Amino acid sequence: DIQMTQSPSFLSASVGDRVTINCKASQNINRYLNWYQQKLGEAPKLLIYNANSLQTGIPSRFSGSGSGTDFTLTISSLQPEDVATYFCLQHNSWPRTFGGGTKLELK
Amino acid sequence: EVQLVESGGGLVQPGRSLKLSCAASGFTFSNYYMAWVRQAPKKGLEWVATISTSGSRTYYPDSVKGRFTISRDNAKSSLYLQMNSLKSEDTATYYCARERDPPFAYWGQGTLVTVSS
């Protein structure tokens, strides 16, 4: 199975900060990596698919990069509504596996 | 608009069975692979099963293989998850998701399954 190691687990940042979250795959997953935002009591919301494609309707302050084993989600200027938990998902191979999550809070 | 609505969750005793349903609308259901993903309380996400468009191919992680069965009825635009021999560690919110185009873009609101005596 491909292990997805997400870091950091917890992040505190201020409004306007540039925020980066990382996912590292235990094997090459090409670009088959998604990023999700999940707010309390809600289903995950897709932000980025296939490493760097912005999902329709998602603000352009969110971006993704990487390929192979190392991936990054960047929020260029943190907004209060971005407080949430963020997950990565690899869909390159079976079983699909998620990262452990990054809880993002406002400082 | 793509909509996925899960149902069938509830409280069930260990060792018993439960069947979840997911009603899909807003897209041609028969053209898409579909999946179930779960999330234990205050925990991360775990992929549970995927089924091909015709239902001829299914995929499971080892944690549920042999106990869970994913199926679909394309005529009814519905996805199912039959869960047998339930364990306490199966307690979670179960989400139905469209697997493709874009991958895992659309999710339902989830249905809570609690396995407890």
Side-chain angles (χ1 to χ4, degrees), chain A residues 10 12 24 26 50 52 59 71 80 83 86 96 99-100 102:
Chain A
F10 179 82
S12 181
K24 186 173 183 68
S26 60
N50 295 344
N52 61 5
F71 300 86
V83 169
Y86 293 82
R96 310 313 198 192
T102 296

Side-chain angles (χ1 to χ4, degrees), chain A residues 1 34 36 38 41-46 49-50 55 87 89 91 94-100, chain B residues 33 37 39 43-47 50 59-61 95 99-100 102-109:
Chain A
D1 297 5
N34 289 3
Y36 294 88
Q38 187 177 33
E42 297 182 6
K45 177 195 289 187
L46 178 66
Y49 64 96
N50 295 344
Q55 170 66 344
F87 294 95
L89 162 68
H91 54 93
W94 311 100
R96 310 313 198 192
T97 45
F98 289 86
Chain B
Y33 277 49
V37 177
Q39 186 170 35
K43 299 290 187 184
L45 295 156
E46 181 185 18
W47 166 76
T50 290
Y59 308 84
Y60 306 93
Y95 297 99
E99 248 251 16
R100 305 279 167 95
F104 288 93
Y106 300 101
W107 298 54
Q109 85 291 346

Side-chain angles (χ1 to χ4, degrees), chain A residues 2 28-33 90-94 96:
Chain A
I2 296 176
N28 178 22
I29 59 169
N30 300 292
R31 289 185 172 271
Y32 296 112
L33 188 285
Q90 71 81 17
H91 54 93
N92 179 77
S93 58
W94 311 100
R96 310 313 198 192

